[in-house]
Amino acid sequence: MHQFDSSVGCLASGSTGVQARVWVPAQWFFSREDAQRHCWLWLLGSDGLVRALLAPAHHLDYDDLLPDLLRQFGSDDAVSNTTPAADATVALPNAPIVPLPRWSVSWGHPLQRGIRAFAQALDREVVEALGDLEVQGACFGTVRNYNRLVRVPAPVRARRLQALALFPAWLAPVLLEPVERPLMFADRDDDNDRYRRHAPAPVHGLLASRRGRGMPPQALNALLDVIDQGRDLIDAIAHFYRVDRALVRAPLGREPWQRGAMPEAVVSLLQALPAHARPRQRKEVEPRLAAIQALPVHLRSPADVSRLAVAFKRGWNGVWKTCEREHPNLPQAIRDCRDLLNAALASLRQPPEQIELDVDRLGLAWIARKGIAAFLEASRHWHGLPMVQLPLTPIPAAIPVDAPLVPLFGELDVAEGHARELLTADALYMEGETMAHCVADYWHQCQRGGIRIVHLETVAGEVATLQLGFDLAGFSSEVRNDQLRGRYNAAPSPAVCELAEAVLVRLAELGDAVHGQMTLIAAQARAFRAQEDARRQPPPPPRRQLDARLRTQLAQVLAYAQAQDDWRLPIHRPLRVTVAGFQYGQGEDVLDDLQIGDVLRLVREPDNPHDQRAVRIEWNRKKLGYVPRAENAALAQALDRGAAASARVHALLDNDWAPVEIEIELE
């Protein structure tokens, strides 16, 4: 067995390929019982690379494994971050460069002496450079980052360390990979989950950071070449980040950031500011990231960044200091502004023409037009207004409970007998009494939905009750036999069944006339339902309304928004899209009948629970699907304004999910 001196952690004799190692039992890291199944090994190879390994507990101090482990984990590129099996050894590239045991391990303990000896065998300049990058927040001192620096030739390493020292905020995310904290288990281990619960949540959207390794390879390689050859860094960084030299030279990029990098949106925003308005120091920006993240804006384009920059044209620090003086908890005050924006949008009886306006776009327009301080003041003013109890929705004109129903066909004579619709509550009651069944209880369903009750009498004088069903949505003109009963709910005779079938055949022959009556029945049913729902609705909760002062500001903001050309909705002429949701409608039933050039019908569904801009597509009163959500904004607004639109089948595609492409033109 190769012998190591446990007190110093360095090879004493006879081994090749290993410079130093430290075994650490679980008890010095974790007190949890399940962690005691493991031990940890830090291994420094003769190639200068560090391997941090999670191993089964019974491998502790078993140095005969070291040559095999060194071969198995020859570099930090061959790693696995999956949950380890009980007898597996896995690499931990995001573990700290050296072990960090609990404070209860005293400085003179053999483990501490071994750790110090291991650390002394490392490249001191690299270790210190990684440590210099760390302020409270991101961690750079991981095995992976150490190895990234030591594996390159010494002259290149020296230039990279110098570049990191000069421009840490710009180059650390390019050369290295910060983590929230070192990880001592594989990624999915419970202990790491516990760490992540207490660590800051990853940030997306406005404050997402530009990571060098997510950039195009050509741009990244060009920057690395400049660093490694010791050429002009300022020009290279400015080109890589698409900023000017003055911003690169500013002190705020020459000191480490808690997040490990400057958020991409902040870089773009600072670049959009005139030089005299920019902040100089990191402390003027990073403590305000929570407030920036709270801004109700979504920067969809460089033009949006420029609009936000207008709010800081008088100076970054001056704007923020004014806001901080008036609002001690500034991030929360900014978040509260969303309440004002939602109330403002709700107050619009009709959305502005030709622009798509949501909370984030309205927030950006308000900030660009009025400034952040005025925006916050408007929000505070709105929150100080009294709550107003809104009136109940007016109940539609009263429909008498016993009002006759709109007939589907009224009365019908066929060779097999006679059919008569029962269109009043009294008629249903008498049918129930005569036939000795419960049809009188169906009056409510007849009022609200798509059923009709019909009295049948054959030529021989045999009677029965027929329940007809149909689609109130108007997708089909088919009429169904939902239920057929004789006296005392007896099964119908063959003669009665023939009469019922003859009635359905005759209704099918009537076609458009029956479909027209269905439309009238649907309108009456909606009126009945609206009247009932209105009587049952609870009073709306009290709300704050916009007063005259805020309505004036909103009008100014809307005028600004409508003047932005790039916010206008493009109306394509023609618009070609595939039918969305085809498999959920009736499209599959009629696909074989569709022909290129077939005329389609477009129907707005403003009450659609999934998309208020929904536009339904029909073919011969059959629902094919919808205009895709990503394409329906301009079309929906045009239809809402009363514009006429035509649609036709443009192509039939070999695609099970979206087999129909349509063409839409606004007239």
Side-chain angles (χ1 to χ4, degrees):
M1 178 183 295
H2 302 304
Q3 297 298 318
F4 282 76
D5 181 349
S6 298
S7 65
V8 298
C10 294
L11 184 61
S13 63
S15 178
T16 59
V18 179
Q19 293 189 58
R21 68 92 176 97
V22 179
W23 289 98
V24 183
Q27 69 191 60
W28 300 123
F29 284 142
F30 306 104
S31 58
R32 287 177 17 224
E33 182 177 350
D34 60 336
Q36 309 310 308
R37 298 177 303 168
H38 307 288
C39 67
W40 282 259
L41 170 65
W42 271 257
L43 186 61
L44 177 63
S46 58
D47 55 5
L49 301 182
V50 173
R51 290 87 172 167
L53 306 175
L54 176 68
H58 61 270
H59 287 174
L60 182 67
D61 291 332
Y62 189 50
D63 289 338
D64 278 355
L65 295 173
L66 298 183
D68 289 338
L69 292 175
L70 196 61
R71 283 192 296 271
Q72 180 180 355
F73 301 98
S75 73
D76 63 347
D77 294 327
V79 299
S80 171
N81 280 343
T82 57
T83 304
D87 59 348
T89 298
V90 295
L92 302 174
N94 288 325
I97 308 169
V98 296
L100 301 172
R102 294 186 299 175
W103 59 269
S104 57
V105 182
S106 65
W107 188 245
H109 190 279
L111 176 61
Q112 290 282 20
R113 298 200 303 271
I115 292 172
R116 292 199 296 274
F118 182 86
Q120 289 172 359
L122 302 177
D123 187 306
R124 179 177 176 179
E125 290 186 346
V126 172
V127 172
E128 291 181 352
L130 294 174
D132 289 340
L133 292 174
E134 295 181 6
V135 290
Q136 184 178 3
C139 171
F140 284 95
T142 62
V143 168
R144 171 177 284 148
N145 286 335
Y146 177 85
N147 289 343
R148 280 182 178 170
L149 291 173
V150 301
R151 62 163 26 111
V152 298
V156 173
R157 179 164 65 249
R159 293 190 181 105
R160 292 190 177 187
L161 293 179
Q162 182 184 34
L164 285 170
L166 289 173
F167 301 102
W170 297 109
L171 297 181
V174 174
L175 296 172
L176 305 170
E177 187 174 325
V179 296
E180 291 175 356
R181 64 181 304 157
L183 299 182
M184 299 293 293
F185 282 88
D187 275 353
R188 294 176 57 192
D189 190 275
D190 289 343
D191 197 81
N192 286 342
D193 289 341
R194 177 168 59 88
Y195 282 159
R196 282 192 285 271
R197 285 197 295 272
H198 296 285
V203 178
H204 306 283
L206 189 60
L207 293 191
S209 297
R210 181 191 295 264
R211 301 298 183 196
R213 301 187 182 277
M215 295 296 293
Q218 300 89 339
L220 180 60
N221 290 335
L223 179 58
L224 291 177
D225 286 344
V226 172
I227 295 171
D228 295 346
Q229 295 174 24
R231 303 205 307 268
D232 182 7
L233 284 175
I234 293 178
D235 271 345
I237 294 172
H239 179 74
F240 182 77
Y241 283 96
R242 299 184 179 91
V243 297
D244 56 43
R245 289 172 55 90
L247 186 57
V248 176
R249 288 196 302 265
L252 61 83
R254 291 180 174 266
E255 52 183 320
W257 282 51
Q258 291 181 4
R259 300 167 54 87
M262 287 187 284
E264 181 175 359
V266 171
V267 172
S268 300
L269 179 58
L270 298 182
Q271 171 61 26
L273 293 177
H276 73 273
R278 290 175 180 170
R280 298 283 298 165
Q281 308 289 337
R282 176 184 64 85
K283 64 182 180 181
E284 298 169 350
V285 181
E286 196 160 31
R288 291 164 174 154
L289 289 182
I292 298 172
Q293 177 72 11
L295 289 173
V297 300
H298 180 195
L299 304 181
R300 298 174 171 92
S301 67
D304 283 348
V305 177
S306 298
R307 293 182 180 102
L308 182 58
V310 170
F312 300 98
K313 62 184 178 182
R314 295 184 179 178
W316 175 273
N317 289 323
V319 170
W320 285 117
K321 286 179 180 178
T322 298
C323 296
E324 289 159 354
R325 185 168 55 250
E326 294 294 326
H327 306 275
N329 187 352
L330 184 56
Q332 185 58 53
I334 295 176
R335 284 190 289 270
D336 289 343
C337 291
R338 286 188 174 271
D339 298 334
L340 167 62
L341 296 173
N342 283 314
L345 287 176
S347 72
L348 300 177
R349 295 182 180 179
Q350 189 172 358
E353 293 187 6
Q354 300 180 354
I355 63 169
E356 182 179 5
L357 201 62
D358 55 17
V359 168
D360 289 331
R361 181 157 283 174
L362 181 60
L364 179 55
W366 208 308
I367 290 172
R369 174 64 177 82
K370 307 296 291 184
I372 295 179
F375 182 41
L376 286 164
E377 179 54 34
S379 173
R380 181 159 60 183
H381 174 74
W382 180 83
H383 281 91
L385 295 175
M387 303 288 279
V388 177
Q389 179 64 60
L390 300 179
L392 289 170
T393 303
I395 298 176
I399 303 174
V401 176
D402 58 352
L405 302 174
V406 173
L408 182 63
F409 61 89
E411 296 194 36
L412 201 61
D413 286 311
V414 293
E416 290 79 2
H418 180 74
R420 175 172 53 87
E421 275 187 276
L422 306 176
L423 301 174
T424 66
D426 289 343
L428 254 66
Y429 174 78
M430 292 305 299
E431 181 78 1
E433 289 294 304
T434 302
M435 302 296 292
H437 52 48
C438 61
V439 72
D441 296 336
Y442 285 33
W443 176 245
H444 186 65
Q445 296 179 50
C446 291
Q447 287 181 312
R448 290 181 62 90
I451 72 167
R452 283 293 181 265
I453 305 299
V454 179
H455 177 78
L456 298 180
E457 185 173 352
T458 67
V459 292
E462 188 177 357
V463 294
T465 305
L466 170 64
Q467 177 184 324
L468 296 177
F470 45 88
D471 180 11
L472 275 187
F475 297 138
S476 171
S477 58
E478 177 187 7
V479 180
R480 305 180 306 273
N481 175 353
D482 283 351
Q483 196 172 179
L484 180 61
R485 290 289 182 267
R487 292 183 187 274
Y488 301 102
N489 276 328
S493 68
V496 169
C497 291
E498 290 177 5
L499 173 56
E501 182 62 27
V503 170
L504 294 178
V505 170
R506 183 63 183 278
L507 293 178
E509 292 172 350
L510 292 174
D512 289 343
V514 170
H515 190 270
Q517 288 303 112
M518 287 181 182
T519 302
L520 298 177
I521 292 171
Q524 186 185 49
R526 284 195 299 271
F528 274 121
R529 291 196 299 269
Q531 183 170 291
E532 287 189 359
D533 294 345
R535 290 192 177 111
R536 289 198 300 262
Q537 70 172 333
R543 296 180 182 176
R544 293 184 179 91
Q545 301 289 87
L546 270 64
D547 62 7
R549 169 182 164 185
L550 290 176
R551 288 197 298 272
T552 300
Q553 290 192 40
L554 178 59
Q556 296 170 345
V557 171
L558 292 177
Y560 171 88
Q562 290 180 304
Q564 310 308 305
D565 290 339
D566 59 316
W567 286 1
R568 292 182 178 274
L569 290 165
I571 301 178
H572 302 284
R573 295 180 181 272
L575 172 67
R576 290 178 184 172
V577 297
T578 55
V579 177
F582 187 85
Q583 67 276 22
Y584 301 116
Q586 297 169 288
E588 293 183 348
D589 298 334
V590 300
L591 181 58
D592 292 339
D593 298 324
L594 289 176
Q595 299 292 327
I596 293 176
D598 282 358
V599 176
L600 305 171
R601 182 180 176 219
L602 302 176
V603 182
R604 275 285 284 123
E605 287 188 6
D607 298 327
N608 187 298
H610 305 293
D611 182 8
Q612 293 181 348
R613 302 180 311 206
V615 179
R616 187 174 73 240
I617 303 167
E618 295 181 6
W619 176 82
N620 287 349
R621 304 189 187 96
K622 305 276 188 187
K623 175 184 174 182
L624 299 184
Y626 292 88
V627 175
R629 186 190 298 255
E631 304 285 352
N632 67 9
L635 177 61
Q637 287 199 14
L639 294 176
D640 290 344
R641 292 195 299 270
S646 61
R648 65 183 183 86
V649 177
H650 181 260
L652 299 174
L653 310 174
D654 185 17
N655 184 323
D656 292 339
W657 285 91
V660 179
E661 182 181 66
I662 71 170
E663 183 175 272
I664 302 170
E665 289 192 68
L666 290 174
E667 300 174 356

